[in-house]
Amino acid sequence: MTEFSSTTKPVQELVEDGDELPQSYIWRSDNTGDYGAIDSSVPLATEIPVVDVSLLVSSSSAMDPELLKLRSALTSWRCFQVVNHGIESSFLDQVRKLSREFFHLSKGEKQKYARPSDSIEGYGKDSILHENQLLDWVDRLYLTVHPQDQQELKYWPENPISFRDMLNEYTAKLRQIKEQLLKSMAMSLSLPEDSFLKQFGERPTMAARFNYYPPCARPDTVIGIKPHTDGLGITILLQDEQVEGLQLHKDNQWFRVPIMPHALVVNIGDQLEIMSNGIFKSLLHRVLTNSTRERNALVMFCAPDPAQEIGPVEELVDEKRPRAFKNIKNYSESYFYYYQQGKSLLDAARV
Ligand SMILES: O=C(O)CCC(=O)C(=O)O
Ligand SMILES: [Fe+2]
Protein backbone atom coordinates (compact mmCIF):
# COMPACT_ATOMS: atom_id res chain seq x y z
CA MET A 1 0.00 0.00 0.00
CA THR A 2 1.51 3.32 -0.96
CA GLU A 3 1.60 6.09 1.49
CA PHE A 4 -0.02 9.32 0.39
CA SER A 5 2.29 11.46 2.48
CA SER A 6 5.03 10.56 4.90
CA THR A 7 6.05 14.04 5.92
CA THR A 8 3.59 14.59 8.74
CA LYS A 9 5.11 15.93 11.90
CA PRO A 10 4.44 14.20 15.17
CA VAL A 11 1.68 16.05 17.07
CA GLN A 12 4.09 16.73 19.89
CA GLU A 13 6.27 18.76 17.49
CA LEU A 14 3.28 20.74 16.22
CA VAL A 15 2.61 21.72 19.80
CA GLU A 16 6.24 22.47 20.65
CA ASP A 17 6.75 24.54 17.50
CA GLY A 18 3.54 26.49 18.13
CA ASP A 19 2.21 25.64 14.64
CA GLU A 20 -1.26 26.62 13.59
CA LEU A 21 -3.67 23.68 13.78
CA PRO A 22 -3.54 21.92 10.37
CA GLN A 23 -6.91 21.46 8.62
CA SER A 24 -6.34 17.71 8.44
CA TYR A 25 -6.92 17.47 12.20
CA ILE A 26 -10.28 19.20 12.14
CA TRP A 27 -13.24 16.86 12.62
CA ARG A 28 -15.50 16.89 9.58
CA SER A 29 -18.75 15.00 9.58
CA ASP A 30 -18.14 13.81 5.99
CA ASN A 31 -15.31 11.43 6.77
CA THR A 32 -16.07 10.30 10.26
CA GLY A 33 -19.22 8.27 9.75
CA ASP A 34 -22.40 8.82 11.62
CA TYR A 35 -21.14 8.50 15.17
CA GLY A 36 -22.13 11.83 16.64
CA ALA A 37 -20.23 14.83 17.89
CA ILE A 38 -17.12 14.96 20.02
CA ASP A 39 -18.46 15.22 23.56
CA SER A 40 -16.41 14.79 26.70
CA SER A 41 -19.40 14.99 29.03
CA VAL A 42 -21.06 11.69 28.06
CA PRO A 43 -21.95 9.36 30.98
CA LEU A 44 -19.30 7.34 32.78
CA ALA A 45 -19.69 3.61 32.14
CA THR A 46 -19.75 2.66 35.81
CA GLU A 47 -21.33 -0.71 34.99
CA ILE A 48 -18.46 -2.12 32.91
CA PRO A 49 -17.91 -5.57 34.44
CA VAL A 50 -14.79 -6.19 36.50
CA VAL A 51 -13.51 -9.73 35.94
CA ASP A 52 -11.18 -11.48 38.38
CA VAL A 53 -8.62 -13.59 36.50
CA SER A 54 -7.78 -15.70 39.54
CA LEU A 55 -11.44 -16.79 39.66
CA LEU A 56 -11.45 -17.58 35.94
CA VAL A 57 -8.51 -19.92 36.47
CA SER A 58 -10.58 -22.02 38.85
CA SER A 59 -13.80 -21.95 36.78
CA SER A 60 -14.61 -24.85 34.49
CA SER A 61 -18.32 -24.72 33.80
CA ALA A 62 -20.16 -22.07 31.80
CA MET A 63 -22.49 -21.76 34.82
CA ASP A 64 -19.69 -20.66 37.17
CA PRO A 65 -20.35 -17.07 38.27
CA GLU A 66 -17.14 -15.57 36.89
CA LEU A 67 -17.71 -17.19 33.48
CA LEU A 68 -21.32 -15.97 33.46
CA LYS A 69 -20.02 -12.50 34.21
CA LEU A 70 -17.44 -12.77 31.43
CA ARG A 71 -20.02 -13.90 28.93
CA SER A 72 -22.38 -11.11 29.82
CA ALA A 73 -19.50 -8.60 29.60
CA LEU A 74 -18.66 -9.79 26.11
CA THR A 75 -22.18 -9.83 24.78
CA SER A 76 -23.36 -6.55 26.27
CA TRP A 77 -20.44 -4.19 26.95
CA ARG A 78 -18.00 -5.90 24.58
CA CYS A 79 -15.28 -5.09 27.06
CA PHE A 80 -14.38 -5.48 30.72
CA GLN A 81 -11.73 -4.54 33.24
CA VAL A 82 -9.53 -7.33 34.61
CA VAL A 83 -8.15 -7.50 38.13
CA ASN A 84 -6.10 -10.11 39.98
CA HIS A 85 -4.28 -10.64 36.70
CA GLY A 86 -1.01 -11.49 38.40
CA ILE A 87 0.93 -8.36 37.41
CA GLU A 88 2.31 -6.36 40.33
CA SER A 89 1.02 -2.80 40.62
CA SER A 90 4.59 -1.54 41.00
CA PHE A 91 5.49 -3.12 37.66
CA LEU A 92 2.51 -1.47 35.94
CA ASP A 93 3.65 1.86 37.41
CA GLN A 94 7.10 1.22 36.00
CA VAL A 95 5.67 0.39 32.54
CA ARG A 96 3.79 3.68 32.55
CA LYS A 97 6.80 5.63 33.76
CA LEU A 98 9.10 4.30 31.02
CA SER A 99 6.45 4.78 28.32
CA ARG A 100 6.04 8.40 29.34
CA GLU A 101 9.81 8.91 29.53
CA PHE A 102 10.26 7.74 25.95
CA PHE A 103 7.92 10.41 24.58
CA HIS A 104 9.74 13.04 26.63
CA LEU A 105 13.13 12.27 25.10
CA SER A 106 14.58 14.84 22.70
CA LYS A 107 13.23 15.00 19.18
CA GLY A 108 16.52 13.66 17.82
CA GLU A 109 16.55 10.70 20.18
CA LYS A 110 13.00 9.67 19.25
CA GLN A 111 13.75 10.10 15.54
CA LYS A 112 16.27 7.23 15.79
CA TYR A 113 13.23 4.97 15.96
CA ALA A 114 11.13 6.78 13.34
CA ARG A 115 8.69 4.78 11.25
CA PRO A 116 9.81 4.59 7.60
CA SER A 117 7.08 5.05 5.01
CA ASP A 118 6.98 1.35 4.06
CA SER A 119 6.50 0.08 7.59
CA ILE A 120 3.90 0.12 10.32
CA GLU A 121 6.56 -0.22 13.02
CA GLY A 122 8.37 2.60 14.75
CA TYR A 123 7.76 6.03 16.22
CA GLY A 124 5.65 8.81 14.72
CA LYS A 125 2.28 9.14 13.04
CA ASP A 126 0.23 6.40 11.42
CA SER A 127 0.57 6.25 7.61
CA ILE A 128 -1.51 8.64 5.59
CA LEU A 129 -3.15 6.67 2.82
CA HIS A 130 -5.79 9.10 1.56
CA GLU A 131 -5.80 12.75 0.66
CA ASN A 132 -8.76 13.48 2.89
CA GLN A 133 -7.73 11.35 5.82
CA LEU A 134 -8.74 12.84 9.14
CA LEU A 135 -5.66 12.76 11.36
CA ASP A 136 -5.65 11.53 14.93
CA TRP A 137 -4.18 13.73 17.67
CA VAL A 138 -1.77 11.04 18.78
CA ASP A 139 1.86 10.00 18.30
CA ARG A 140 2.64 6.37 18.66
CA LEU A 141 5.44 3.87 18.96
CA TYR A 142 4.35 0.61 17.35
CA LEU A 143 6.35 -2.57 17.93
CA THR A 144 5.73 -6.22 17.16
CA VAL A 145 6.61 -7.93 20.42
CA HIS A 146 5.73 -11.57 19.75
CA PRO A 147 6.82 -14.02 18.30
CA GLN A 148 10.24 -12.93 19.45
CA ASP A 149 11.88 -13.62 16.08
CA GLN A 150 9.55 -11.02 14.54
CA GLN A 151 10.80 -8.22 16.74
CA GLU A 152 12.44 -5.45 14.74
CA LEU A 153 14.86 -4.29 17.37
CA LYS A 154 15.96 -1.27 15.37
CA TYR A 155 12.69 0.36 16.43
CA TRP A 156 13.02 -0.63 20.08
CA PRO A 157 14.21 2.28 22.21
CA GLU A 158 17.52 1.76 24.00
CA ASN A 159 16.65 4.78 26.07
CA PRO A 160 15.14 4.78 28.72
CA ILE A 161 17.68 2.19 29.62
CA SER A 162 15.36 -0.57 30.83
CA PHE A 163 12.69 -0.04 28.16
CA ARG A 164 13.43 -3.22 26.19
CA ASP A 165 13.55 -5.49 29.25
CA MET A 166 10.35 -3.93 30.53
CA LEU A 167 8.58 -4.57 27.25
CA ASN A 168 9.68 -8.19 27.05
CA GLU A 169 8.59 -8.80 30.62
CA TYR A 170 5.24 -7.07 30.09
CA THR A 171 4.68 -9.10 26.91
CA ALA A 172 5.38 -12.39 28.69
CA LYS A 173 2.85 -11.52 31.39
CA LEU A 174 0.21 -10.42 28.92
CA ARG A 175 0.66 -13.59 26.89
CA GLN A 176 -0.37 -15.64 29.89
CA ILE A 177 -3.37 -13.42 30.59
CA LYS A 178 -4.40 -13.53 26.94
CA GLU A 179 -4.30 -17.34 26.88
CA GLN A 180 -6.35 -17.60 30.04
CA LEU A 181 -8.92 -15.12 28.71
CA LEU A 182 -9.27 -16.93 25.38
CA LYS A 183 -9.78 -20.23 27.20
CA SER A 184 -12.32 -18.70 29.55
CA MET A 185 -14.15 -17.01 26.68
CA ALA A 186 -14.55 -20.38 24.97
CA MET A 187 -15.67 -22.04 28.21
CA SER A 188 -18.22 -19.30 28.80
CA LEU A 189 -19.91 -20.48 25.58
CA SER A 190 -19.68 -24.14 26.66
CA LEU A 191 -17.03 -24.80 24.00
CA PRO A 192 -13.83 -26.82 24.40
CA GLU A 193 -11.33 -24.45 26.01
CA ASP A 194 -8.96 -24.40 23.02
CA SER A 195 -11.66 -23.44 20.49
CA PHE A 196 -10.42 -19.87 20.02
CA LEU A 197 -6.78 -20.52 20.93
CA LYS A 198 -6.58 -23.12 18.15
CA GLN A 199 -7.60 -20.50 15.62
CA PHE A 200 -4.85 -18.20 16.87
CA GLY A 201 -2.55 -20.81 15.34
CA GLU A 202 1.06 -21.81 15.90
CA ARG A 203 2.45 -18.31 15.83
CA PRO A 204 -0.10 -15.83 17.13
CA THR A 205 1.16 -12.26 17.15
CA MET A 206 1.23 -9.50 19.71
CA ALA A 207 1.96 -5.89 18.91
CA ALA A 208 2.41 -3.05 21.38
CA ARG A 209 1.22 0.43 20.54
CA PHE A 210 2.36 3.16 22.91
CA ASN A 211 0.01 6.10 22.45
CA TYR A 212 0.95 9.62 23.45
CA TYR A 213 -1.75 12.30 23.26
CA PRO A 214 -0.34 15.79 23.83
CA PRO A 215 -2.66 18.42 25.31
CA CYS A 216 -4.82 19.86 22.55
CA ALA A 217 -6.03 23.46 22.40
CA ARG A 218 -9.21 22.46 20.53
CA PRO A 219 -10.55 19.27 22.15
CA ASP A 220 -14.01 20.11 20.82
CA THR A 221 -12.97 19.79 17.15
CA VAL A 222 -9.96 17.47 17.23
CA ILE A 223 -10.13 13.78 18.07
CA GLY A 224 -7.43 11.67 19.76
CA ILE A 225 -8.38 8.53 17.79
CA LYS A 226 -11.43 8.45 15.57
CA PRO A 227 -14.20 5.86 16.12
CA HIS A 228 -13.00 2.36 15.21
CA THR A 229 -13.08 -1.27 16.12
CA ASP A 230 -9.76 -3.07 16.57
CA GLY A 231 -8.91 -5.45 13.74
CA LEU A 232 -7.45 -8.26 15.84
CA GLY A 233 -8.63 -10.88 18.31
CA ILE A 234 -8.53 -9.10 21.64
CA THR A 235 -6.97 -5.88 22.87
CA ILE A 236 -5.48 -5.47 26.33
CA LEU A 237 -5.07 -1.87 27.36
CA LEU A 238 -3.12 -0.19 30.13
CA GLN A 239 -4.79 3.21 30.43
CA ASP A 240 -3.33 6.41 31.80
CA GLU A 241 -3.82 6.28 35.60
CA GLN A 242 -5.05 9.88 35.79
CA VAL A 243 -6.30 11.23 32.50
CA GLU A 244 -9.49 9.88 30.97
CA GLY A 245 -10.07 9.88 27.24
CA LEU A 246 -11.30 6.50 26.07
CA GLN A 247 -14.99 6.25 25.15
CA LEU A 248 -17.00 3.22 24.07
CA HIS A 249 -20.17 2.99 22.03
CA LYS A 250 -23.09 0.98 23.38
CA ASP A 251 -26.77 1.08 22.40
CA ASN A 252 -26.22 4.12 20.18
CA GLN A 253 -24.59 6.10 22.92
CA TRP A 254 -21.05 7.04 23.92
CA PHE A 255 -19.76 6.33 27.43
CA ARG A 256 -16.52 7.28 29.16
CA VAL A 257 -14.42 4.31 30.28
CA PRO A 258 -13.56 4.71 33.97
CA ILE A 259 -9.98 4.59 35.19
CA MET A 260 -9.08 1.72 37.52
CA PRO A 261 -5.36 2.36 37.98
CA HIS A 262 -4.15 -1.24 38.28
CA ALA A 263 -6.72 -2.98 36.14
CA LEU A 264 -6.34 -3.76 32.45
CA VAL A 265 -9.12 -2.99 29.99
CA VAL A 266 -9.89 -5.84 27.60
CA ASN A 267 -12.00 -5.47 24.49
CA ILE A 268 -13.11 -7.70 21.65
CA GLY A 269 -11.72 -7.11 18.17
CA ASP A 270 -13.16 -7.99 14.77
CA GLN A 271 -11.50 -11.40 14.49
CA LEU A 272 -13.04 -12.70 17.72
CA GLU A 273 -16.42 -11.48 16.54
CA ILE A 274 -15.87 -13.62 13.43
CA MET A 275 -14.71 -16.69 15.40
CA SER A 276 -17.66 -16.42 17.78
CA ASN A 277 -20.04 -16.17 14.80
CA GLY A 278 -21.14 -12.75 16.03
CA ILE A 279 -22.01 -13.77 19.63
CA PHE A 280 -19.18 -11.60 20.90
CA LYS A 281 -19.12 -8.19 19.30
CA SER A 282 -16.18 -6.05 18.36
CA LEU A 283 -16.13 -2.84 20.43
CA LEU A 284 -16.56 0.52 18.73
CA HIS A 285 -14.45 3.04 20.62
CA ARG A 286 -12.73 6.42 20.26
CA VAL A 287 -10.36 8.60 22.23
CA LEU A 288 -10.86 12.28 23.10
CA THR A 289 -8.16 14.81 23.75
CA ASN A 290 -7.63 16.97 26.79
CA SER A 291 -6.92 20.71 26.72
CA THR A 292 -4.42 20.80 29.55
CA ARG A 293 -3.03 17.33 30.20
CA GLU A 294 -1.17 14.78 28.13
CA ARG A 295 -2.43 11.21 28.13
CA ASN A 296 -0.49 7.96 27.74
CA ALA A 297 -1.86 4.51 27.00
CA LEU A 298 -0.22 1.20 26.15
CA VAL A 299 -2.31 -0.95 23.86
CA MET A 300 -1.50 -4.62 23.25
CA PHE A 301 -3.09 -6.07 20.14
CA CYS A 302 -3.37 -9.87 20.27
CA ALA A 303 -4.00 -11.40 16.86
CA PRO A 304 -4.07 -14.84 15.26
CA ASP A 305 -1.16 -16.10 13.18
CA PRO A 306 -1.60 -14.24 9.87
CA ALA A 307 -1.11 -17.52 7.99
CA GLN A 308 -4.00 -19.12 9.84
CA GLU A 309 -7.44 -19.08 8.27
CA ILE A 310 -10.04 -17.98 10.80
CA GLY A 311 -13.81 -18.38 10.73
CA PRO A 312 -16.82 -19.03 12.94
CA VAL A 313 -16.26 -21.94 15.36
CA GLU A 314 -18.25 -24.92 14.04
CA GLU A 315 -20.27 -25.51 17.23
CA LEU A 316 -21.55 -21.93 17.03
CA VAL A 317 -23.10 -22.33 13.59
CA ASP A 318 -26.55 -23.94 13.40
CA GLU A 319 -30.02 -23.34 11.96
CA LYS A 320 -30.87 -20.79 14.61
CA ARG A 321 -27.58 -19.00 14.16
CA PRO A 322 -26.46 -19.33 10.54
CA ARG A 323 -22.90 -18.62 9.59
CA ALA A 324 -22.46 -14.82 9.75
CA PHE A 325 -18.92 -14.51 8.35
CA LYS A 326 -16.76 -15.99 5.63
CA ASN A 327 -13.47 -17.63 6.50
CA ILE A 328 -10.65 -15.16 6.13
CA LYS A 329 -6.85 -15.09 6.27
CA ASN A 330 -4.43 -12.31 7.15
CA TYR A 331 -7.16 -9.96 8.31
CA SER A 332 -4.87 -7.41 9.90
CA GLU A 333 -3.22 -6.49 6.61
CA SER A 334 -6.33 -5.09 4.90
CA TYR A 335 -7.93 -3.80 8.09
CA PHE A 336 -5.89 -0.62 8.25
CA TYR A 337 -6.68 0.39 4.69
CA TYR A 338 -10.41 0.17 5.37
CA TYR A 339 -10.03 1.93 8.70
CA GLN A 340 -8.37 4.99 7.26
CA GLN A 341 -11.36 5.45 4.95
CA GLY A 342 -13.72 5.18 7.90
CA LYS A 343 -14.87 1.73 6.72
CA SER A 344 -15.01 -1.64 8.39
CA LEU A 345 -13.44 -4.80 7.01
CA LEU A 346 -15.78 -6.72 9.29
CA ASP A 347 -18.70 -5.62 7.13
CA ALA A 348 -16.84 -6.82 4.06
CA ALA A 349 -16.32 -10.24 5.72
CA ARG A 350 -20.04 -10.76 6.38
CA VAL A 351 -21.81 -13.57 4.52
O1 LIG B 1 -5.65 5.23 24.05
C1 LIG B 1 -6.53 4.43 24.32
O2 LIG B 1 -7.07 4.40 25.44
C2 LIG B 1 -7.04 3.45 23.29
C3 LIG B 1 -6.31 3.51 21.99
C4 LIG B 1 -6.91 2.69 20.89
O3 LIG B 1 -8.09 2.46 20.83
C5 LIG B 1 -6.04 2.11 19.85
O4 LIG B 1 -4.84 2.47 19.80
O5 LIG B 1 -6.54 1.29 19.05
FE1 LIG C 1 -8.53 0.78 19.49
Side-chain angles (χ1 to χ4, degrees):
M1 248 168 250
T2 35
E3 186 150 16
F4 180 76
S5 155
S6 57
T7 53
T8 320
K9 266 189 184 183
V11 187
Q12 195 176 10
E13 286 178 32
L14 287 181
V15 175
E16 281 165 7
D17 298 351
D19 291 4
E20 204 179 305
L21 181 64
Q23 280 296 323
S24 45
Y25 283 95
I26 297 178
W27 175 268
R28 303 176 305 267
S29 54
D30 61 319
N31 65 358
T32 53
D34 191 19
Y35 298 126
I38 298 178
D39 181 359
S40 60
S41 65
V42 300
L44 190 66
T46 47
E47 312 278 301
I48 291 183
V50 179
V51 172
D52 183 325
V53 181
S54 70
L55 292 178
L56 289 180
V57 173
S58 56
S59 303
S60 55
S61 145
M63 296 312 284
D64 286 345
E66 212 59 15
L67 287 177
L68 284 172
K69 195 200 276 182
L70 179 67
R71 178 177 175 156
S72 123
L74 294 172
T75 51
S76 75
W77 285 96
R78 308 167 179 208
C79 77
F80 52 94
Q81 310 246 21
V82 289
V83 295
N84 283 330
H85 41 53
I87 309 183
E88 298 277 340
S89 299
S90 57
F91 181 64
L92 292 179
D93 294 339
Q94 177 72 358
V95 171
R96 288 191 173 109
K97 177 169 171 283
L98 294 176
S99 312
R100 195 169 292 134
E101 274 174 26
F102 170 75
F103 287 101
H104 285 282
L105 294 174
S106 69
K107 187 166 133 184
E109 184 66 25
K110 289 191 294 265
Q111 281 305 324
K112 289 187 191 163
Y113 310 103
R115 181 184 70 79
S117 64
D118 59 353
S119 166
I120 185 174
E121 301 221 14
Y123 162 73
K125 300 289 300 169
D126 281 337
S127 339
I128 299 181
L129 304 173
H130 307 282
E131 194 175 357
N132 285 325
Q133 189 172 316
L134 174 74
L135 301 191
D136 296 328
W137 190 262
V138 64
D139 298 331
R140 80 333 177 248
L141 172 67
Y142 186 101
L143 303 168
T144 298
V145 292
H146 188 80
Q148 207 157 10
D149 60 15
Q150 300 277 307
Q151 295 181 350
E152 298 223 44
L153 288 180
K154 60 179 188 250
Y155 301 119
W156 285 53
E158 286 180 295
N159 186 3
I161 204 91
S162 41
F163 189 97
R164 291 181 171 191
D165 289 343
M166 170 279 282
L167 188 51
N168 278 320
E169 190 178 337
Y170 186 67
T171 301
K173 294 189 167 134
L174 255 58
R175 250 183 89 194
Q176 291 179 353
I177 297 172
K178 172 196 83 169
E179 285 181 16
Q180 181 59 51
L181 291 176
L182 287 172
K183 282 185 197 166
S184 299
M185 286 176 189
M187 282 193 268
S188 80
L189 296 175
S190 307
L191 296 171
E193 66 171 24
D194 65 350
S195 300
F196 296 132
L197 265 178
K198 236 178 9 202
Q199 292 212 34
F200 273 63
E202 296 274 300
R203 286 164 59 81
T205 65
M206 289 170 73
R209 180 177 157 128
F210 296 81
N211 284 336
Y212 173 78
Y213 307 85
C216 175
R218 297 292 308 278
D220 53 329
T221 47
V222 174
I223 193 136
I225 297 190
K226 52 188 165 286
H228 67 285
T229 60
D230 295 330
L232 50 295
I234 62 170
T235 303
I236 307 179
L237 168 72
L238 181 64
Q239 288 206 78
D240 197 291
E241 76 275 49
Q242 289 184 358
V243 184
E244 264 182 28
L246 180 61
Q247 295 191 347
L248 62 81
H249 201 252
K250 180 180 189 290
D251 306 330
N252 289 317
Q253 202 189 338
W254 288 104
F255 291 88
R256 283 143 55 221
V257 175
I259 295 173
M260 289 181 64
H262 294 112
L264 299 163
V265 180
V266 177
N267 71 263
I268 293 290
D270 294 354
Q271 298 186 57
L272 214 74
E273 175 163 345
I274 294 176
M275 292 178 200
S276 70
N277 201 24
I279 296 178
F280 299 154
K281 295 273 197 291
S282 191
L283 179 75
L284 183 68
H285 54 288
R286 66 180 185 182
V287 183
L288 268 55
T289 59
N290 187 290
S291 60
T292 53
R293 305 190 67 183
E294 66 173 55
R295 179 171 181 274
N296 287 272
L298 170 52
V299 191
M300 190 69 86
F301 297 123
C302 307
D305 182 338
Q308 171 85 25
E309 187 171 74
I310 62 146
V313 170
E314 222 173 88
E315 292 95 322
L316 300 176
V317 179
D318 57 29
E319 275 134 50
K320 277 204 248 113
R321 183 178 284 280
R323 166 185 273 271
F325 297 99
K326 299 171 212 154
N327 285 3
I328 186 164
K329 234 187 205 174
N330 205 355
Y331 190 94
S332 308
E333 198 174 278
S334 320
Y335 162 84
F336 196 66
Y337 188 73
Y338 277 75
Y339 164 62
Q340 292 299 14
Q341 300 176 78
K343 291 187 190 146
S344 148
L345 176 54
L346 193 59
D347 289 335
R350 260 176 243 282
V351 170

